[in-house]
PDB file of all heavy atoms in Angstrom:
ATOM      1  N   ASN A1253      -2.853   5.418  18.901  1.00  0.00           N
ATOM      2  CA  ASN A1253      -1.758   5.614  17.949  1.00  0.00           C
ATOM      3  C   ASN A1253      -2.349   6.010  16.595  1.00  0.00           C
ATOM      4  O   ASN A1253      -3.005   5.207  15.928  1.00  0.00           O
ATOM      5  CB  ASN A1253      -0.938   4.334  17.816  1.00  0.00           C
ATOM      6  CG  ASN A1253       0.343   4.548  17.017  1.00  0.00           C
ATOM      7  OD1 ASN A1253       0.420   5.422  16.144  1.00  0.00           O
ATOM      8  ND2 ASN A1253       1.354   3.750  17.292  1.00  0.00           N
ATOM      9  N   THR A1254      -2.112   7.250  16.181  1.00  0.00           N
ATOM     10  CA  THR A1254      -2.715   7.734  14.940  1.00  0.00           C
ATOM     11  C   THR A1254      -2.067   7.147  13.689  1.00  0.00           C
ATOM     12  O   THR A1254      -2.563   7.364  12.582  1.00  0.00           O
ATOM     13  CB  THR A1254      -2.651   9.276  14.872  1.00  0.00           C
ATOM     14  OG1 THR A1254      -1.301   9.714  15.057  1.00  0.00           O
ATOM     15  CG2 THR A1254      -3.544   9.893  15.929  1.00  0.00           C
ATOM     16  N   LEU A1255      -0.975   6.408  13.858  1.00  0.00           N
ATOM     17  CA  LEU A1255      -0.405   5.702  12.716  1.00  0.00           C
ATOM     18  C   LEU A1255      -1.168   4.401  12.438  1.00  0.00           C
ATOM     19  O   LEU A1255      -0.996   3.780  11.394  1.00  0.00           O
ATOM     20  CB  LEU A1255       1.072   5.391  12.951  1.00  0.00           C
ATOM     21  CG  LEU A1255       2.008   6.597  13.000  1.00  0.00           C
ATOM     22  CD1 LEU A1255       3.440   6.145  13.213  1.00  0.00           C
ATOM     23  CD2 LEU A1255       1.889   7.445  11.744  1.00  0.00           C
ATOM     24  N   ILE A1256      -2.001   3.989  13.395  1.00  0.00           N
ATOM     25  CA  ILE A1256      -2.858   2.822  13.210  1.00  0.00           C
ATOM     26  C   ILE A1256      -4.309   3.259  13.003  1.00  0.00           C
ATOM     27  O   ILE A1256      -5.001   2.767  12.109  1.00  0.00           O
ATOM     28  CB  ILE A1256      -2.751   1.869  14.415  1.00  0.00           C
ATOM     29  CG1 ILE A1256      -1.311   1.335  14.545  1.00  0.00           C
ATOM     30  CG2 ILE A1256      -3.740   0.705  14.273  1.00  0.00           C
ATOM     31  CD1 ILE A1256      -1.079   0.501  15.792  1.00  0.00           C
ATOM     32  N   LEU A1257      -4.766   4.197  13.831  1.00  0.00           N
ATOM     33  CA  LEU A1257      -6.109   4.758  13.693  1.00  0.00           C
ATOM     34  C   LEU A1257      -5.998   6.275  13.568  1.00  0.00           C
ATOM     35  O   LEU A1257      -5.978   6.995  14.573  1.00  0.00           O
ATOM     36  CB  LEU A1257      -6.965   4.410  14.914  1.00  0.00           C
ATOM     37  CG  LEU A1257      -7.389   2.960  15.097  1.00  0.00           C
ATOM     38  CD1 LEU A1257      -8.260   2.823  16.333  1.00  0.00           C
ATOM     39  CD2 LEU A1257      -8.128   2.451  13.867  1.00  0.00           C
ATOM     40  N   PRO A1258      -5.873   6.779  12.347  1.00  0.00           N
ATOM     41  CA  PRO A1258      -5.798   8.232  12.175  1.00  0.00           C
ATOM     42  C   PRO A1258      -7.027   8.921  12.757  1.00  0.00           C
ATOM     43  O   PRO A1258      -8.152   8.442  12.587  1.00  0.00           O
ATOM     44  CB  PRO A1258      -5.746   8.395  10.647  1.00  0.00           C
ATOM     45  CG  PRO A1258      -5.243   7.091  10.130  1.00  0.00           C
ATOM     46  CD  PRO A1258      -5.807   6.057  11.063  1.00  0.00           C
ATOM     47  N   ASP A1259      -6.790  10.022  13.486  1.00  0.00           N
ATOM     48  CA  ASP A1259      -7.936  10.790  13.947  1.00  0.00           C
ATOM     49  C   ASP A1259      -8.495  11.584  12.766  1.00  0.00           C
ATOM     50  O   ASP A1259      -7.953  11.550  11.656  1.00  0.00           O
ATOM     51  CB  ASP A1259      -7.556  11.699  15.122  1.00  0.00           C
ATOM     52  CG  ASP A1259      -6.390  12.632  14.803  1.00  0.00           C
ATOM     53  OD1 ASP A1259      -6.157  12.928  13.614  1.00  0.00           O
ATOM     54  OD2 ASP A1259      -5.693  13.054  15.746  1.00  0.00           O
ATOM     55  N   LYS A1260      -9.598  12.291  12.991  1.00  0.00           N
ATOM     56  CA  LYS A1260     -10.248  12.993  11.880  1.00  0.00           C
ATOM     57  C   LYS A1260      -9.329  14.029  11.246  1.00  0.00           C
ATOM     58  O   LYS A1260      -9.314  14.192  10.022  1.00  0.00           O
ATOM     59  CB  LYS A1260     -11.540  13.657  12.376  1.00  0.00           C
ATOM     60  CG  LYS A1260     -12.649  12.668  12.704  1.00  0.00           C
ATOM     61  CD  LYS A1260     -13.924  13.389  13.105  1.00  0.00           C
ATOM     62  CE  LYS A1260     -15.038  12.391  13.385  1.00  0.00           C
ATOM     63  NZ  LYS A1260     -16.301  13.069  13.785  1.00  0.00           N
ATOM     64  N   GLU A1261      -8.556  14.720  12.081  1.00  0.00           N
ATOM     65  CA  GLU A1261      -7.652  15.745  11.551  1.00  0.00           C
ATOM     66  C   GLU A1261      -6.577  15.121  10.671  1.00  0.00           C
ATOM     67  O   GLU A1261      -6.271  15.620   9.585  1.00  0.00           O
ATOM     68  CB  GLU A1261      -6.994  16.509  12.708  1.00  0.00           C
ATOM     69  CG  GLU A1261      -6.055  17.612  12.246  1.00  0.00           C
ATOM     70  CD  GLU A1261      -5.395  18.331  13.409  1.00  0.00           C
ATOM     71  OE1 GLU A1261      -5.650  17.954  14.571  1.00  0.00           O
ATOM     72  OE2 GLU A1261      -4.614  19.277  13.155  1.00  0.00           O
ATOM     73  N   MET A1262      -6.029  14.004  11.121  1.00  0.00           N
ATOM     74  CA  MET A1262      -4.993  13.341  10.341  1.00  0.00           C
ATOM     75  C   MET A1262      -5.579  12.743   9.063  1.00  0.00           C
ATOM     76  O   MET A1262      -4.998  12.860   7.980  1.00  0.00           O
ATOM     77  CB  MET A1262      -4.322  12.256  11.170  1.00  0.00           C
ATOM     78  CG  MET A1262      -3.210  11.527  10.433  1.00  0.00           C
ATOM     79  SD  MET A1262      -2.315  10.408  11.531  1.00  0.00           S
ATOM     80  CE  MET A1262      -1.349   9.465  10.343  1.00  0.00           C
ATOM     81  N   ALA A1263      -6.727  12.091   9.173  1.00  0.00           N
ATOM     82  CA  ALA A1263      -7.342  11.475   7.998  1.00  0.00           C
ATOM     83  C   ALA A1263      -7.659  12.514   6.926  1.00  0.00           C
ATOM     84  O   ALA A1263      -7.537  12.246   5.731  1.00  0.00           O
ATOM     85  CB  ALA A1263      -8.611  10.725   8.404  1.00  0.00           C
ATOM     86  N   ALA A1264      -8.036  13.701   7.373  1.00  0.00           N
ATOM     87  CA  ALA A1264      -8.365  14.766   6.423  1.00  0.00           C
ATOM     88  C   ALA A1264      -7.153  15.226   5.625  1.00  0.00           C
ATOM     89  O   ALA A1264      -7.299  15.807   4.538  1.00  0.00           O
ATOM     90  CB  ALA A1264      -8.984  15.949   7.159  1.00  0.00           C
ATOM     91  N   LYS A1265      -5.963  14.947   6.143  1.00  0.00           N
ATOM     92  CA  LYS A1265      -4.731  15.361   5.466  1.00  0.00           C
ATOM     93  C   LYS A1265      -4.166  14.275   4.548  1.00  0.00           C
ATOM     94  O   LYS A1265      -3.152  14.492   3.883  1.00  0.00           O
ATOM     95  CB  LYS A1265      -3.672  15.749   6.498  1.00  0.00           C
ATOM     96  CG  LYS A1265      -4.024  16.979   7.319  1.00  0.00           C
ATOM     97  CD  LYS A1265      -2.926  17.272   8.346  1.00  0.00           C
ATOM     98  CE  LYS A1265      -3.267  18.504   9.173  1.00  0.00           C
ATOM     99  NZ  LYS A1265      -2.217  18.777  10.189  1.00  0.00           N
ATOM    100  N   SER A1266      -4.804  13.132   4.525  1.00  0.00           N
ATOM    101  CA  SER A1266      -4.317  12.018   3.715  1.00  0.00           C
ATOM    102  C   SER A1266      -4.596  12.271   2.234  1.00  0.00           C
ATOM    103  O   SER A1266      -5.701  12.681   1.856  1.00  0.00           O
ATOM    104  CB  SER A1266      -5.005  10.721   4.151  1.00  0.00           C
ATOM    105  OG  SER A1266      -4.702   9.665   3.270  1.00  0.00           O
ATOM    106  N   ARG A1267      -3.597  12.011   1.411  1.00  0.00           N
ATOM    107  CA  ARG A1267      -3.741  12.155  -0.030  1.00  0.00           C
ATOM    108  C   ARG A1267      -3.135  10.933  -0.719  1.00  0.00           C
ATOM    109  O   ARG A1267      -2.181  10.340  -0.211  1.00  0.00           O
ATOM    110  CB  ARG A1267      -3.044  13.415  -0.535  1.00  0.00           C
ATOM    111  CG  ARG A1267      -3.586  14.716   0.010  1.00  0.00           C
ATOM    112  CD  ARG A1267      -4.991  15.001  -0.518  1.00  0.00           C
ATOM    113  NE  ARG A1267      -5.514  16.277  -0.042  1.00  0.00           N
ATOM    114  CZ  ARG A1267      -6.197  16.447   1.087  1.00  0.00           C
ATOM    115  NH1 ARG A1267      -6.428  15.403   1.880  1.00  0.00           N
ATOM    116  NH2 ARG A1267      -6.644  17.640   1.437  1.00  0.00           N
ATOM    117  N   SER A1268      -3.668  10.596  -1.873  1.00  0.00           N
ATOM    118  CA  SER A1268      -3.152   9.482  -2.658  1.00  0.00           C
ATOM    119  C   SER A1268      -2.486   9.996  -3.923  1.00  0.00           C
ATOM    120  O   SER A1268      -2.925  10.997  -4.509  1.00  0.00           O
ATOM    121  CB  SER A1268      -4.285   8.521  -3.035  1.00  0.00           C
ATOM    122  OG  SER A1268      -4.859   7.940  -1.891  1.00  0.00           O
ATOM    123  N   PHE A1269      -1.442   9.316  -4.342  1.00  0.00           N
ATOM    124  CA  PHE A1269      -0.754   9.641  -5.587  1.00  0.00           C
ATOM    125  C   PHE A1269      -1.598   9.095  -6.735  1.00  0.00           C
ATOM    126  O   PHE A1269      -1.990   7.930  -6.728  1.00  0.00           O
ATOM    127  CB  PHE A1269       0.628   8.983  -5.588  1.00  0.00           C
ATOM    128  CG  PHE A1269       1.608   9.574  -6.560  1.00  0.00           C
ATOM    129  CD1 PHE A1269       2.474  10.582  -6.168  1.00  0.00           C
ATOM    130  CD2 PHE A1269       1.686   9.103  -7.863  1.00  0.00           C
ATOM    131  CE1 PHE A1269       3.392  11.113  -7.048  1.00  0.00           C
ATOM    132  CE2 PHE A1269       2.601   9.628  -8.758  1.00  0.00           C
ATOM    133  CZ  PHE A1269       3.465  10.638  -8.357  1.00  0.00           C
ATOM    134  N   ARG A1270      -1.888   9.930  -7.704  1.00  0.00           N
ATOM    135  CA  ARG A1270      -2.831   9.523  -8.746  1.00  0.00           C
ATOM    136  C   ARG A1270      -2.286   8.398  -9.623  1.00  0.00           C
ATOM    137  O   ARG A1270      -1.085   8.150  -9.677  1.00  0.00           O
ATOM    138  CB  ARG A1270      -3.196  10.724  -9.625  1.00  0.00           C
ATOM    139  CG  ARG A1270      -2.102  11.249 -10.543  1.00  0.00           C
ATOM    140  CD  ARG A1270      -2.693  12.284 -11.496  1.00  0.00           C
ATOM    141  NE  ARG A1270      -1.707  12.957 -12.305  1.00  0.00           N
ATOM    142  CZ  ARG A1270      -1.183  12.451 -13.430  1.00  0.00           C
ATOM    143  NH1 ARG A1270      -1.534  11.247 -13.843  1.00  0.00           N
ATOM    144  NH2 ARG A1270      -0.295  13.153 -14.110  1.00  0.00           N
ATOM    145  N   SER A1271      -3.189   7.708 -10.291  1.00  0.00           N
ATOM    146  CA  SER A1271      -2.796   6.667 -11.226  1.00  0.00           C
ATOM    147  C   SER A1271      -2.018   7.276 -12.382  1.00  0.00           C
ATOM    148  O   SER A1271      -2.302   8.395 -12.818  1.00  0.00           O
ATOM    149  CB  SER A1271      -4.044   5.954 -11.765  1.00  0.00           C
ATOM    150  OG  SER A1271      -4.802   5.402 -10.720  1.00  0.00           O
ATOM    151  N   LEU A1272      -1.046   6.524 -12.883  1.00  0.00           N
ATOM    152  CA  LEU A1272      -0.203   6.993 -13.981  1.00  0.00           C
ATOM    153  C   LEU A1272      -0.402   6.124 -15.215  1.00  0.00           C
ATOM    154  O   LEU A1272      -0.571   4.912 -15.115  1.00  0.00           O
ATOM    155  CB  LEU A1272       1.278   6.947 -13.585  1.00  0.00           C
ATOM    156  CG  LEU A1272       1.706   7.768 -12.368  1.00  0.00           C
ATOM    157  CD1 LEU A1272       3.201   7.568 -12.115  1.00  0.00           C
ATOM    158  CD2 LEU A1272       1.380   9.246 -12.549  1.00  0.00           C
ATOM    159  N   SER A1273      -0.342   6.756 -16.366  1.00  0.00           N
ATOM    160  CA  SER A1273      -0.299   5.994 -17.612  1.00  0.00           C
ATOM    161  C   SER A1273       1.099   5.405 -17.757  1.00  0.00           C
ATOM    162  O   SER A1273       2.047   5.829 -17.087  1.00  0.00           O
ATOM    163  CB  SER A1273      -0.605   6.900 -18.799  1.00  0.00           C
ATOM    164  OG  SER A1273       0.448   7.849 -18.990  1.00  0.00           O
ATOM    165  N   THR A1274       1.242   4.434 -18.646  1.00  0.00           N
ATOM    166  CA  THR A1274       2.558   3.843 -18.892  1.00  0.00           C
ATOM    167  C   THR A1274       3.544   4.906 -19.359  1.00  0.00           C
ATOM    168  O   THR A1274       4.695   4.928 -18.930  1.00  0.00           O
ATOM    169  CB  THR A1274       2.449   2.728 -19.947  1.00  0.00           C
ATOM    170  OG1 THR A1274       1.549   1.730 -19.472  1.00  0.00           O
ATOM    171  CG2 THR A1274       3.802   2.083 -20.204  1.00  0.00           C
ATOM    172  N   LYS A1275       3.097   5.800 -20.210  1.00  0.00           N
ATOM    173  CA  LYS A1275       3.966   6.868 -20.722  1.00  0.00           C
ATOM    174  C   LYS A1275       4.427   7.779 -19.590  1.00  0.00           C
ATOM    175  O   LYS A1275       5.614   8.123 -19.491  1.00  0.00           O
ATOM    176  CB  LYS A1275       3.226   7.674 -21.782  1.00  0.00           C
ATOM    177  CG  LYS A1275       4.055   8.785 -22.410  1.00  0.00           C
ATOM    178  CD  LYS A1275       3.254   9.520 -23.482  1.00  0.00           C
ATOM    179  CE  LYS A1275       4.076  10.657 -24.088  1.00  0.00           C
ATOM    180  NZ  LYS A1275       3.287  11.400 -25.122  1.00  0.00           N
ATOM    181  N   GLU A1276       3.498   8.165 -18.731  1.00  0.00           N
ATOM    182  CA  GLU A1276       3.857   9.025 -17.602  1.00  0.00           C
ATOM    183  C   GLU A1276       4.829   8.319 -16.670  1.00  0.00           C
ATOM    184  O   GLU A1276       5.822   8.912 -16.223  1.00  0.00           O
ATOM    185  CB  GLU A1276       2.603   9.421 -16.824  1.00  0.00           C
ATOM    186  CG  GLU A1276       1.726  10.438 -17.501  1.00  0.00           C
ATOM    187  CD  GLU A1276       0.468  10.718 -16.698  1.00  0.00           C
ATOM    188  OE1 GLU A1276      -0.090   9.765 -16.091  1.00  0.00           O
ATOM    189  OE2 GLU A1276       0.036  11.878 -16.676  1.00  0.00           O
ATOM    190  N   GLU A1277       4.545   7.071 -16.368  1.00  0.00           N
ATOM    191  CA  GLU A1277       5.385   6.339 -15.425  1.00  0.00           C
ATOM    192  C   GLU A1277       6.819   6.238 -15.934  1.00  0.00           C
ATOM    193  O   GLU A1277       7.773   6.433 -15.179  1.00  0.00           O
ATOM    194  CB  GLU A1277       4.811   4.951 -15.187  1.00  0.00           C
ATOM    195  CG  GLU A1277       5.434   4.236 -14.012  1.00  0.00           C
ATOM    196  CD  GLU A1277       4.541   3.140 -13.491  1.00  0.00           C
ATOM    197  OE1 GLU A1277       4.004   2.358 -14.286  1.00  0.00           O
ATOM    198  OE2 GLU A1277       4.371   3.079 -12.264  1.00  0.00           O
ATOM    199  N   THR A1278       6.971   5.969 -17.204  1.00  0.00           N
ATOM    200  CA  THR A1278       8.307   5.881 -17.796  1.00  0.00           C
ATOM    201  C   THR A1278       9.029   7.215 -17.687  1.00  0.00           C
ATOM    202  O   THR A1278      10.187   7.281 -17.248  1.00  0.00           O
ATOM    203  CB  THR A1278       8.215   5.452 -19.267  1.00  0.00           C
ATOM    204  OG1 THR A1278       7.616   4.162 -19.353  1.00  0.00           O
ATOM    205  CG2 THR A1278       9.586   5.397 -19.907  1.00  0.00           C
TER     206      THR A1278
END
Side-chain angles (χ1 to χ4, degrees):
N1253 189 332
T1254 54
L1255 293 181
I1256 297 174
L1257 290 182
D1259 55 24
K1260 289 184 178 180
E1261 181 181 1
M1262 181 173 168
K1265 295 179 180 179
S1266 172
R1267 298 291 182 271
S1268 297
F1269 199 93
R1270 70 171 173 82
S1271 302
L1272 301 179
S1273 67
T1274 301
K1275 182 179 178 181
E1276 286 177 323
E1277 193 159 46
T1278 299

